[in-house]
Amino acid sequence: MTAERATPDFGDDTSTRRRILSATTEVLARSGQTKLSLSDVAMQAGVSRPTLYRWFASKEELLDAFGAYEQHMFDSGLSTATAGLRGNEKLDAALRFIVQFQQSYSGVRVIDIEPEVVIAQLTRVIPVMRTRLERLLQGPNRSVKAATATRVAVSHYIVRADDDDAFLAQLRHAVGIKAPARD
Protein backbone atom coordinates (compact mmCIF):
# COMPACT_ATOMS: atom_id res chain seq x y z
CA MET A 1 0.00 0.00 0.00
CA THR A 2 1.37 3.39 -0.92
CA ALA A 3 1.64 6.25 1.53
CA GLU A 4 -1.10 8.04 -0.39
CA ARG A 5 -3.53 5.17 0.01
CA ALA A 6 -2.61 4.64 3.66
CA THR A 7 -3.79 8.14 4.58
CA PRO A 8 -7.48 8.72 4.05
CA ASP A 9 -8.22 12.26 2.93
CA PHE A 10 -11.85 13.10 3.45
CA GLY A 11 -11.43 16.79 4.17
CA ASP A 12 -10.03 18.16 0.89
CA ASP A 13 -12.79 18.44 -1.70
CA THR A 14 -10.27 18.62 -4.53
CA SER A 15 -8.32 15.49 -3.61
CA THR A 16 -8.22 12.74 -6.19
CA ARG A 17 -9.10 10.17 -3.54
CA ARG A 18 -12.18 12.09 -2.49
CA ARG A 19 -13.26 12.61 -6.11
CA ILE A 20 -13.01 8.88 -6.70
CA LEU A 21 -15.03 8.10 -3.57
CA SER A 22 -17.63 10.70 -4.47
CA ALA A 23 -17.85 9.28 -8.00
CA THR A 24 -18.34 5.84 -6.47
CA THR A 25 -21.55 7.13 -4.88
CA GLU A 26 -22.92 8.10 -8.27
CA VAL A 27 -21.87 4.90 -10.02
CA LEU A 28 -23.30 2.75 -7.21
CA ALA A 29 -26.58 4.65 -7.47
CA ARG A 30 -26.77 3.78 -11.19
CA SER A 31 -25.29 0.28 -11.27
CA GLY A 32 -25.27 -1.16 -7.78
CA GLN A 33 -22.39 -2.85 -6.01
CA THR A 34 -22.45 -6.12 -7.97
CA LYS A 35 -22.14 -4.40 -11.35
CA LEU A 36 -19.81 -1.63 -10.15
CA SER A 37 -17.18 -1.02 -12.80
CA LEU A 38 -13.88 0.60 -11.92
CA SER A 39 -13.80 2.05 -15.43
CA ASP A 40 -17.15 3.75 -14.78
CA VAL A 41 -15.88 5.11 -11.46
CA ALA A 42 -12.71 6.44 -13.11
CA MET A 43 -14.75 8.09 -15.87
CA GLN A 44 -17.21 9.61 -13.37
CA ALA A 45 -14.29 10.93 -11.27
CA GLY A 46 -12.48 12.30 -14.31
CA VAL A 47 -9.35 10.23 -13.69
CA SER A 48 -7.56 7.53 -15.62
CA ARG A 49 -7.82 3.87 -14.63
CA PRO A 50 -4.12 3.82 -13.63
CA THR A 51 -4.81 6.77 -11.30
CA LEU A 52 -7.77 4.97 -9.78
CA TYR A 53 -5.63 1.85 -9.29
CA ARG A 54 -2.93 3.94 -7.62
CA TRP A 55 -5.49 4.74 -4.92
CA PHE A 56 -7.52 1.51 -4.92
CA ALA A 57 -5.93 -1.74 -6.11
CA SER A 58 -9.24 -3.59 -6.46
CA LYS A 59 -13.00 -3.23 -6.44
CA GLU A 60 -13.07 -4.68 -2.91
CA GLU A 61 -10.55 -2.13 -1.69
CA LEU A 62 -12.59 0.68 -3.26
CA LEU A 63 -15.81 -0.59 -1.66
CA ASP A 64 -14.12 -0.89 1.75
CA ALA A 65 -12.81 2.66 1.46
CA PHE A 66 -16.21 3.82 0.26
CA GLY A 67 -17.85 2.35 3.37
CA ALA A 68 -15.39 4.28 5.55
CA TYR A 69 -16.05 7.41 3.46
CA GLU A 70 -19.81 7.11 3.91
CA GLN A 71 -19.37 6.61 7.65
CA HIS A 72 -17.08 9.65 7.83
CA MET A 73 -19.55 11.82 5.91
CA PHE A 74 -22.37 10.79 8.24
CA ASP A 75 -20.29 11.20 11.41
CA SER A 76 -18.89 14.60 10.45
CA GLY A 77 -22.34 15.85 9.43
CA LEU A 78 -23.83 14.62 12.69
CA SER A 79 -21.04 16.24 14.70
CA THR A 80 -21.59 19.54 12.91
CA ALA A 81 -25.36 19.36 13.38
CA THR A 82 -25.08 18.71 17.13
CA ALA A 83 -22.06 20.86 17.98
CA GLY A 84 -22.54 22.91 21.12
CA LEU A 85 -25.94 21.41 21.94
CA ARG A 86 -26.95 19.36 24.98
CA GLY A 87 -29.78 17.12 26.08
CA ASN A 88 -32.94 17.05 24.00
CA GLU A 89 -31.71 19.88 21.76
CA LYS A 90 -28.74 17.71 20.76
CA LEU A 91 -30.97 14.66 20.30
CA ASP A 92 -33.44 16.62 18.18
CA ALA A 93 -30.62 18.03 16.04
CA ALA A 94 -29.36 14.46 15.52
CA LEU A 95 -32.82 13.31 14.44
CA ARG A 96 -33.19 16.25 12.05
CA PHE A 97 -29.78 15.39 10.61
CA ILE A 98 -30.81 11.76 10.07
CA VAL A 99 -33.87 12.90 8.10
CA GLN A 100 -31.86 15.43 6.06
CA PHE A 101 -29.05 12.95 5.37
CA GLN A 102 -31.37 10.18 4.22
CA GLN A 103 -33.47 12.43 2.05
CA SER A 104 -30.50 14.08 0.32
CA TYR A 105 -28.21 11.07 0.11
CA SER A 106 -27.89 9.79 -3.45
CA GLY A 107 -26.94 6.30 -2.23
CA VAL A 108 -30.54 5.74 -1.16
CA ARG A 109 -31.30 4.65 -4.72
CA VAL A 110 -29.10 1.57 -4.31
CA ILE A 111 -31.95 -0.13 -2.42
CA ASP A 112 -33.94 -0.02 -5.66
CA ILE A 113 -31.11 -1.60 -7.66
CA GLU A 114 -29.73 -4.22 -5.27
CA PRO A 115 -32.00 -4.68 -2.28
CA GLU A 116 -30.30 -7.90 -1.21
CA VAL A 117 -26.89 -6.19 -0.95
CA VAL A 118 -28.29 -3.25 0.99
CA ILE A 119 -30.26 -5.45 3.37
CA ALA A 120 -27.12 -7.47 4.09
CA GLN A 121 -25.24 -4.24 4.84
CA LEU A 122 -27.96 -3.14 7.23
CA THR A 123 -26.92 -5.91 9.61
CA ARG A 124 -23.72 -3.91 10.12
CA VAL A 125 -25.31 -0.46 10.09
CA ILE A 126 -28.24 -1.02 12.46
CA PRO A 127 -26.18 -1.80 15.60
CA VAL A 128 -23.87 1.17 14.94
CA MET A 129 -26.77 3.57 14.47
CA ARG A 130 -28.60 2.20 17.52
CA THR A 131 -25.51 2.60 19.70
CA ARG A 132 -24.95 6.18 18.53
CA LEU A 133 -28.56 7.14 19.22
CA GLU A 134 -28.49 5.42 22.60
CA ARG A 135 -25.58 7.66 23.66
CA LEU A 136 -27.81 10.70 23.10
CA LEU A 137 -30.67 9.33 25.21
CA GLN A 138 -31.21 9.14 28.95
CA GLY A 139 -33.29 6.95 31.20
CA PRO A 140 -33.94 3.26 31.67
CA ASN A 141 -35.65 2.76 28.30
CA ARG A 142 -32.97 4.42 26.21
CA SER A 143 -31.93 1.20 24.49
CA VAL A 144 -35.55 0.48 23.47
CA LYS A 145 -36.00 4.08 22.26
CA ALA A 146 -32.76 3.96 20.27
CA ALA A 147 -33.69 0.61 18.72
CA THR A 148 -37.17 1.88 17.80
CA ALA A 149 -35.84 5.09 16.23
CA THR A 150 -33.27 3.07 14.30
CA ARG A 151 -36.00 0.80 12.92
CA VAL A 152 -38.07 3.84 11.92
CA ALA A 153 -35.04 5.30 10.10
CA VAL A 154 -34.32 1.99 8.36
CA SER A 155 -37.97 1.70 7.31
CA HIS A 156 -37.82 5.17 5.76
CA TYR A 157 -34.57 4.21 4.05
CA ILE A 158 -36.07 1.08 2.51
CA VAL A 159 -39.45 2.60 1.61
CA ARG A 160 -38.59 6.19 0.90
CA ALA A 161 -41.30 8.77 1.55
CA ASP A 162 -41.33 12.41 0.56
CA ASP A 163 -42.74 13.69 3.85
CA ASP A 164 -39.74 14.82 5.90
CA ASP A 165 -41.98 16.26 8.63
CA ALA A 166 -43.75 12.93 9.19
CA PHE A 167 -40.40 11.09 9.24
CA LEU A 168 -39.03 13.51 11.85
CA ALA A 169 -42.24 13.31 13.90
CA GLN A 170 -41.98 9.50 13.94
CA LEU A 171 -38.34 9.64 15.08
CA ARG A 172 -39.22 12.13 17.82
CA HIS A 173 -42.09 9.94 18.96
CA ALA A 174 -39.82 6.88 19.05
CA VAL A 175 -37.36 8.60 21.41
CA GLY A 176 -40.02 10.37 23.43
CA ILE A 177 -39.36 14.04 22.69
CA LYS A 178 -41.69 16.74 21.50
CA ALA A 179 -41.03 19.10 18.61
CA PRO A 180 -39.44 22.35 19.72
CA ALA A 181 -41.76 25.36 19.67
CA ARG A 182 -39.88 26.86 16.71
CA ASP A 183 -40.87 23.97 14.34
Coordinates of all heavy atoms in Angstrom, one line a residue, residues 81-146:
A81 N -24.0 19.1 13.1 CA -25.4 19.4 13.4 C -25.6 19.5 14.9 O -26.5 20.2 15.3 CB -26.3 18.3 12.8
T82 N -24.8 18.7 15.7 CA -25.1 18.7 17.1 C -24.1 19.5 17.9 O -24.2 19.5 19.2 CB -25.1 17.2 17.6 OG1 -23.8 16.6 17.4 CG2 -26.2 16.5 17.0
A83 N -23.1 20.1 17.3 CA -22.1 20.9 18.0 C -22.6 21.9 18.9 O -23.5 22.7 18.5 CB -21.1 21.5 17.0
G84 N -22.2 21.9 20.1 CA -22.5 22.9 21.1 C -23.9 22.7 21.8 O -24.3 23.5 22.6
L85 N -24.6 21.7 21.4 CA -25.9 21.4 21.9 C -25.9 20.3 23.0 O -24.9 19.5 23.1 CB -26.9 21.0 20.8 CG -27.1 21.9 19.7 CD1 -28.0 21.3 18.6 CD2 -27.7 23.2 20.2
R86 N -26.9 20.3 23.9 CA -27.0 19.4 25.0 C -28.4 18.8 25.1 O -29.3 19.4 24.6 CB -26.6 20.0 26.3 CG -25.1 20.4 26.4 CD -24.8 21.0 27.8 NE -23.4 21.4 27.8 CZ -22.5 20.6 28.4 NH1 -22.8 19.4 28.9 NH2 -21.3 21.0 28.4
G87 N -28.5 17.7 25.7 CA -29.8 17.1 26.1 C -30.7 16.9 24.9 O -30.2 16.4 23.8
N88 N -32.0 17.3 25.1 CA -32.9 17.0 24.0 C -32.7 17.9 22.8 O -33.0 17.5 21.7 CB -34.4 17.3 24.5 CG -34.9 16.1 25.3 OD1 -34.3 15.0 25.4 ND2 -36.0 16.3 26.0
E89 N -32.0 19.1 22.9 CA -31.7 19.9 21.8 C -30.7 19.1 20.9 O -30.8 19.1 19.7 CB -31.1 21.2 22.2 CG -32.2 22.2 22.7 CD -31.5 23.6 23.0 OE1 -30.3 23.7 23.0 OE2 -32.3 24.5 23.2
K90 N -29.7 18.5 21.5 CA -28.7 17.7 20.8 C -29.4 16.5 20.1 O -29.1 16.2 18.9 CB -27.6 17.3 21.7 CG -26.5 16.6 21.0 CD -25.3 16.3 21.9 CE -24.1 15.8 21.1 NZ -22.9 15.8 22.0
L91 N -30.3 15.8 20.8 CA -31.0 14.7 20.3 C -31.8 15.1 19.1 O -31.8 14.4 18.1 CB -31.8 14.0 21.4 CG -32.7 12.8 21.0 CD1 -31.9 11.7 20.4 CD2 -33.5 12.3 22.2
D92 N -32.6 16.2 19.3 CA -33.4 16.6 18.2 C -32.6 17.0 17.0 O -33.0 16.7 15.8 CB -34.3 17.8 18.6 CG -35.4 18.1 17.7 OD1 -36.3 17.1 17.4 OD2 -35.5 19.2 17.1
A93 N -31.5 17.7 17.2 CA -30.6 18.0 16.0 C -30.1 16.8 15.3 O -30.0 16.7 14.1 CB -29.4 18.9 16.5
A94 N -29.8 15.7 16.1 CA -29.4 14.5 15.5 C -30.5 13.8 14.7 O -30.2 13.3 13.6 CB -28.9 13.5 16.6
L95 N -31.7 13.9 15.2 CA -32.8 13.3 14.4 C -33.1 14.1 13.2 O -33.3 13.5 12.1 CB -34.1 13.3 15.3 CG -34.0 12.4 16.6 CD1 -35.3 12.5 17.4 CD2 -33.7 11.0 16.3
R96 N -33.0 15.4 13.3 CA -33.2 16.2 12.1 C -32.1 15.9 11.0 O -32.3 15.9 9.8 CB -33.2 17.7 12.4 CG -34.6 18.2 13.0 CD -34.7 19.6 13.3 NE -34.0 19.9 14.6 CZ -33.0 20.7 14.8 NH1 -32.5 21.4 13.8 NH2 -32.5 20.9 16.0
F97 N -30.9 15.7 11.5 CA -29.8 15.4 10.6 C -30.0 14.1 9.9 O -29.8 13.9 8.7 CB -28.4 15.4 11.3 CG -27.3 14.9 10.4 CD1 -26.8 15.7 9.5 CD2 -26.9 13.6 10.5 CE1 -25.8 15.3 8.6 CE2 -25.9 13.1 9.7 CZ -25.4 14.0 8.7
I98 N -30.5 13.1 10.7 CA -30.8 11.8 10.1 C -31.8 11.9 8.9 O -31.6 11.3 7.8 CB -31.3 10.8 11.1 CG1 -30.2 10.4 12.1 CG2 -31.9 9.5 10.5 CD1 -30.6 9.6 13.3
V99 N -32.9 12.7 9.1 CA -33.9 12.9 8.1 C -33.2 13.6 6.9 O -33.4 13.1 5.8 CB -35.1 13.7 8.6 CG1 -36.0 14.2 7.5 CG2 -35.8 12.9 9.7
Q100 N -32.5 14.7 7.2 CA -31.9 15.4 6.1 C -30.9 14.6 5.3 O -30.9 14.6 4.1 CB -31.2 16.7 6.6 CG -30.4 17.5 5.7 CD -29.0 17.1 5.5 OE1 -28.3 16.7 6.4 NE2 -28.5 17.1 4.3
F101 N -30.1 13.8 6.0 CA -29.0 12.9 5.4 C -29.7 11.9 4.5 O -29.3 11.7 3.3 CB -28.2 12.3 6.4 CG -27.0 11.5 5.9 CD1 -25.8 12.2 5.5 CD2 -27.1 10.1 5.8 CE1 -24.8 11.4 5.0 CE2 -26.0 9.4 5.3 CZ -24.8 10.1 4.9
Q102 N -30.7 11.2 5.0 CA -31.4 10.2 4.2 C -32.1 10.7 3.0 O -32.1 10.1 2.0 CB -32.4 9.4 5.1 CG -31.7 8.3 5.8 CD -32.7 7.3 6.4 OE1 -32.3 6.6 7.3 NE2 -33.9 7.2 6.0
Q103 N -32.7 11.9 3.2 CA -33.5 12.4 2.0 C -32.6 13.0 1.0 O -33.0 13.1 -0.2 CB -34.5 13.5 2.5 CG -35.5 12.9 3.5 CD -36.4 11.8 2.9 OE1 -35.9 10.7 2.7 NE2 -37.6 12.1 2.7
S104 N -31.4 13.5 1.3 CA -30.5 14.1 0.3 C -29.4 13.1 -0.2 O -28.8 13.4 -1.2 CB -29.8 15.3 0.9 OG -28.9 14.9 2.0
Y105 N -29.3 12.0 0.4 CA -28.2 11.1 0.1 C -28.5 10.3 -1.2 O -29.5 9.6 -1.2 CB -28.0 10.1 1.3 CG -26.9 9.1 1.1 CD1 -25.6 9.5 0.9 CD2 -27.2 7.8 1.1 CE1 -24.6 8.5 0.8 CE2 -26.2 6.8 1.0 CZ -24.9 7.2 0.8 OH -24.0 6.3 0.7
S106 N -27.6 10.4 -2.2 CA -27.9 9.8 -3.4 C -27.8 8.3 -3.4 O -28.4 7.6 -4.2 CB -26.9 10.3 -4.5 OG -25.6 10.0 -4.2
G107 N -27.1 7.7 -2.4 CA -26.9 6.3 -2.2 C -28.2 5.6 -1.9 O -28.3 4.4 -2.0
V108 N -29.3 6.4 -1.5 CA -30.5 5.7 -1.2 C -31.1 4.9 -2.3 O -31.7 3.9 -2.2 CB -31.6 6.8 -0.7 CG1 -33.0 6.3 -0.7 CG2 -31.2 7.4 0.6
R109 N -30.8 5.4 -3.5 CA -31.3 4.7 -4.7 C -30.8 3.2 -4.9 O -31.3 2.4 -5.6 CB -31.0 5.5 -6.0 CG -31.6 6.8 -6.0 CD -31.2 7.6 -7.1 NE -29.8 7.9 -7.1 CZ -29.2 9.0 -7.5 NH1 -29.9 9.9 -8.2 NH2 -27.9 9.1 -7.4
V110 N -29.7 2.9 -4.2 CA -29.1 1.6 -4.3 C -30.1 0.5 -3.8 O -30.1 -0.6 -4.4 CB -27.8 1.5 -3.5 CG1 -27.2 0.1 -3.6 CG2 -26.8 2.4 -4.1
I111 N -30.9 0.8 -2.9 CA -31.9 -0.1 -2.4 C -32.9 -0.6 -3.6 O -33.3 -1.7 -3.6 CB -32.8 0.4 -1.2 CG1 -33.6 -0.6 -0.6 CG2 -33.6 1.6 -1.6 CD1 -32.9 -1.6 0.2
D112 N -33.1 0.3 -4.5 CA -33.9 0.0 -5.7 C -33.2 -0.9 -6.7 O -33.9 -1.6 -7.4 CB -34.4 1.3 -6.4 CG -35.3 2.1 -5.5 OD1 -36.0 1.6 -4.6 OD2 -35.2 3.3 -5.6
I113 N -31.9 -0.8 -6.7 CA -31.1 -1.6 -7.7 C -30.7 -3.0 -7.1 O -30.8 -4.0 -7.8 CB -29.8 -0.8 -8.1 CG1 -30.2 0.5 -8.7 CG2 -28.9 -1.6 -9.0 CD1 -29.1 1.5 -8.8
E114 N -30.2 -3.0 -5.9 CA -29.7 -4.2 -5.3 C -30.2 -4.4 -3.8 O -29.4 -4.2 -2.9 CB -28.2 -4.3 -5.3 CG -27.6 -4.4 -6.6 CD -26.1 -4.6 -6.5 OE1 -25.4 -3.8 -5.8 OE2 -25.5 -5.4 -7.3
P115 N -31.5 -4.6 -3.6 CA -32.0 -4.7 -2.3 C -31.3 -5.7 -1.4 O -31.1 -5.5 -0.2 CB -33.5 -5.0 -2.5 CG -33.7 -5.4 -3.9 CD -32.5 -4.9 -4.6
E116 N -30.9 -6.8 -2.0 CA -30.3 -7.9 -1.2 C -28.9 -7.5 -0.7 O -28.6 -7.8 0.5 CB -30.2 -9.2 -2.0 CG -29.2 -9.2 -3.2 CD -29.8 -8.4 -4.5 OE1 -31.0 -8.1 -4.5 OE2 -29.0 -8.2 -5.4
V117 N -28.2 -6.7 -1.4 CA -26.9 -6.2 -1.0 C -27.1 -5.2 0.2 O -26.4 -5.2 1.2 CB -26.1 -5.6 -2.1 CG1 -24.9 -4.9 -1.6 CG2 -25.8 -6.6 -3.2
V118 N -28.0 -4.3 0.0 CA -28.3 -3.2 1.0 C -28.8 -3.9 2.3 O -28.4 -3.5 3.4 CB -29.3 -2.2 0.5 CG1 -29.7 -1.2 1.5 CG2 -28.6 -1.4 -0.7
I119 N -29.7 -4.8 2.2 CA -30.3 -5.4 3.4 C -29.2 -6.2 4.1 O -29.1 -6.1 5.4 CB -31.4 -6.4 3.0 CG1 -32.6 -5.5 2.6 CG2 -31.8 -7.3 4.2 CD1 -33.8 -6.2 2.0
A120 N -28.3 -6.8 3.4 CA -27.1 -7.5 4.1 C -26.2 -6.5 4.8 O -25.8 -6.7 5.9 CB -26.3 -8.3 3.1
Q121 N -26.1 -5.3 4.2 CA -25.2 -4.2 4.8 C -25.9 -3.6 6.1 O -25.2 -3.2 7.0 CB -24.9 -3.1 3.8 CG -24.0 -3.6 2.8 CD -23.8 -2.6 1.7 OE1 -24.6 -1.7 1.4 NE2 -22.7 -2.7 0.9
L122 N -27.2 -3.7 6.1 CA -28.0 -3.1 7.2 C -27.7 -3.9 8.5 O -27.7 -3.3 9.6 CB -29.5 -3.1 7.0 CG -29.9 -2.0 6.0 CD1 -31.4 -2.2 5.7 CD2 -29.7 -0.7 6.5
T123 N -27.3 -5.2 8.4 CA -26.9 -5.9 9.6 C -25.7 -5.3 10.3 O -25.6 -5.5 11.5 CB -26.7 -7.4 9.3 OG1 -25.6 -7.5 8.4 CG2 -27.9 -8.1 8.7
R124 N -24.9 -4.6 9.5 CA -23.7 -3.9 10.1 C -24.1 -2.5 10.6 O -23.7 -2.0 11.6 CB -22.6 -3.8 9.1 CG -21.4 -3.1 9.5 CD -20.3 -3.0 8.4 NE -20.8 -2.3 7.2 CZ -21.0 -1.0 7.1 NH1 -20.7 -0.2 8.0 NH2 -21.4 -0.5 5.9
V125 N -25.0 -1.9 9.8 CA -25.3 -0.5 10.1 C -26.3 -0.3 11.3 O -26.1 0.6 12.1 CB -25.9 0.2 8.8 CG1 -26.5 1.5 9.1 CG2 -24.9 0.2 7.7
I126 N -27.2 -1.2 11.4 CA -28.2 -1.0 12.5 C -27.6 -1.0 13.9 O -28.0 -0.1 14.6 CB -29.3 -2.1 12.3 CG1 -30.2 -1.8 11.1 CG2 -30.2 -2.2 13.6 CD1 -31.2 -2.9 10.8
P127 N -26.7 -1.9 14.2 CA -26.2 -1.8 15.6 C -25.4 -0.5 15.8 O -25.4 0.0 16.9 CB -25.3 -3.0 15.7 CG -25.7 -4.0 14.6 CD -26.3 -3.1 13.6
V128 N -24.7 -0.1 14.8 CA -23.9 1.2 14.9 C -24.8 2.4 15.2 O -24.6 3.2 16.1 CB -23.0 1.4 13.7 CG1 -22.3 2.8 13.7 CG2 -21.9 0.3 13.6
M129 N -25.8 2.5 14.3 CA -26.8 3.6 14.5 C -27.5 3.5 15.8 O -27.6 4.6 16.5 CB -27.8 3.5 13.3 CG -28.7 4.7 13.2 SD -29.6 4.6 11.7 CE -30.6 6.1 11.9
R130 N -27.9 2.4 16.2 CA -28.6 2.2 17.5 C -27.7 2.7 18.7 O -28.1 3.4 19.5 CB -29.0 0.8 17.7 CG -29.9 0.5 19.0 CD -30.2 -0.9 19.2 NE -28.9 -1.6 19.5 CZ -28.5 -2.7 18.8 NH1 -29.2 -3.2 17.8 NH2 -27.3 -3.3 19.0
T131 N -26.4 2.2 18.6 CA -25.5 2.6 19.7 C -25.3 4.1 19.7 O -25.3 4.7 20.8 CB -24.2 1.9 19.5 OG1 -24.4 0.5 19.5 CG2 -23.1 2.3 20.5
R132 N -25.2 4.7 18.6 CA -25.0 6.2 18.5 C -26.2 6.9 19.1 O -26.0 7.9 19.8 CB -24.6 6.6 17.1 CG -23.2 6.1 16.8 CD -22.7 6.8 15.5 NE -21.3 6.4 15.4 CZ -20.8 5.9 14.3 NH1 -21.6 5.9 13.2 NH2 -19.6 5.6 14.2
L133 N -27.4 6.5 18.7 CA -28.6 7.1 19.2 C -28.7 6.9 20.7 O -29.1 7.8 21.5 CB -29.8 6.6 18.5 CG -30.1 7.2 17.2 CD1 -31.3 6.5 16.5 CD2 -30.4 8.7 17.3
E134 N -28.4 5.7 21.2 CA -28.5 5.4 22.6 C -27.6 6.3 23.4 O -28.0 6.7 24.6 CB -28.1 4.0 22.9 CG -28.5 3.5 24.2 CD -28.3 2.0 24.4 OE1 -28.3 1.2 23.4 OE2 -28.2 1.6 25.6
R135 N -26.5 6.7 22.9 CA -25.6 7.7 23.7 C -26.2 9.0 23.9 O -25.8 9.8 24.8 CB -24.3 7.8 22.9 CG -23.4 6.6 22.9 CD -22.1 6.9 22.2 NE -21.4 5.7 21.9 CZ -20.7 5.4 20.8 NH1 -20.6 6.4 19.9 NH2 -20.1 4.3 20.7
L136 N -27.2 9.4 23.0 CA -27.8 10.7 23.1 C -29.0 10.7 24.0 O -29.6 11.7 24.3 CB -28.2 11.2 21.7 CG -27.1 11.4 20.7 CD1 -27.7 11.7 19.3 CD2 -26.2 12.5 21.2
L137 N -29.5 9.5 24.4 CA -30.7 9.3 25.2 C -30.3 9.1 26.7 O -29.2 8.7 27.0 CB -31.5 8.1 24.7 CG -32.1 8.3 23.3 CD1 -32.4 6.9 22.7 CD2 -33.3 9.2 23.3
Q138 N -31.3 9.4 27.5 CA -31.2 9.1 28.9 C -32.4 8.3 29.4 O -33.4 8.1 28.7 CB -31.2 10.5 29.7 CG -30.0 11.4 29.3 CD -30.1 12.7 30.0 OE1 -31.1 13.0 30.7 NE2 -29.1 13.5 29.7
G139 N -32.2 7.7 30.6 CA -33.3 6.9 31.2 C -33.2 5.5 31.0 O -32.4 5.0 30.2
P140 N -34.0 4.7 31.7 CA -33.9 3.3 31.7 C -34.4 2.6 30.3 O -33.9 1.5 30.0 CB -34.9 2.8 32.8 CG -35.8 4.0 33.0 CD -35.1 5.2 32.6
N141 N -35.2 3.3 29.6 CA -35.6 2.8 28.3 C -34.9 3.3 27.1 O -35.3 3.1 26.0 CB -37.1 3.1 28.1 CG -38.0 2.4 29.1 OD1 -37.7 1.3 29.5 ND2 -39.1 3.0 29.5
R142 N -33.7 3.8 27.3 CA -33.0 4.4 26.2 C -32.6 3.4 25.1 O -32.6 3.7 24.0 CB -31.8 5.2 26.7 CG -30.7 4.4 27.3 CD -29.6 5.2 27.8 NE -28.4 4.3 28.1 CZ -27.3 4.8 28.6 NH1 -27.1 6.1 28.8 NH2 -26.3 3.9 28.8
S143 N -32.3 2.2 25.5 CA -31.9 1.2 24.5 C -33.1 0.8 23.6 O -33.0 0.7 22.4 CB -31.3 0.0 25.1 OG -32.2 -0.7 26.0
V144 N -34.3 0.8 24.2 CA -35.5 0.5 23.5 C -35.9 1.7 22.6 O -36.2 1.5 21.4 CB -36.7 0.2 24.4 CG1 -38.0 0.1 23.7 CG2 -36.5 -1.1 25.2
K145 N -35.7 2.9 23.1 CA -36.0 4.1 22.3 C -35.0 4.2 21.1 O -35.4 4.4 20.0 CB -35.9 5.3 23.1 CG -37.0 5.5 24.1 CD -36.8 6.7 25.0 CE -37.9 6.9 26.0 NZ -37.6 8.1 26.9
A146 N -33.8 3.9 21.3 CA -32.8 4.0 20.3 C -33.0 2.9 19.2 O -32.9 3.2 18.0 CB -31.4 3.8 20.8

